Amino acid sequence: MTAFVIVIFALAGLIKGTIGLGLPAVSMGLLTIFMSPFQAATLLIVPSMLTNFWQLFAEGHVLKLIRRFWLLLAGIIVGSVWSIFPTLGHSEFHSEALLGGMLALYGLYGLLAKRMPDLSQHEKWLSPIMGYLGGALTVATGVVVIPVVPYLQTLHLKRDDLVQALGLVFTTSTVCLAVFLHRNPVEDMPIDYTMSAIALIPALIGMWFGKKIRSRIPEQKFRTVFFISLIALGSYMMLHQFGWI
């Protein structure tokens, strides 16, 4: 099992290093082939936390971002505490199917989104709603993607601000997920911090190679293959969960 974890996080790190995103989504999607979504989420804690901290603090201006997006962050926290969805570890909830649907939607969004509408004038009332849904889906699937990532892109931030804002959101979501996993343990599924720390190493190595790849192949071509793969993986997870394949 350790070998599978190492390979999966190396691949996820490679993708994140190449296109700047995808580590939690790819890791959760592939890990749930071999283990429960709850177990997979516990392995994400250390790699996600450290890579997101790096993304958040790389450019500075953290307090400025917090002042602007505190309503979004508050929504994430509230959503992770009072989720409208059944959460990870719920015995009767098809969390694998929901995660698969999230990945497929993420893939479709990545392929089809060209020019996002400008919703910045509605930011004050949209931020808490988008944050709440993002937090609720984080504790339901282990991944924060929909609707927070597309929403941030509709605000038409500068490139560096967008990357740092994503780091802020991912960091907050990862902390909320870690707290949730501690407060809602599943019997016979303890949080394995040792394996989570081990997973950080191949993730960082993969990110380093991904940055090398970025300079050698067209990024748009790689993104296309990546998003198509997410659609295929997400569709497989949904069909497998319901016993259709």
Side-chain angles (χ1 to χ4, degrees), residues 72 119 122-123 126-127 130 147-155:
L72 181 66
L119 300 181
H122 307 296
E123 184 177 339
L126 274 178
S127 283
M130 296 297 105
V148 175
V149 173
Y151 168 65
L152 284 175
Q153 291 189 302
T154 66
L155 301 181

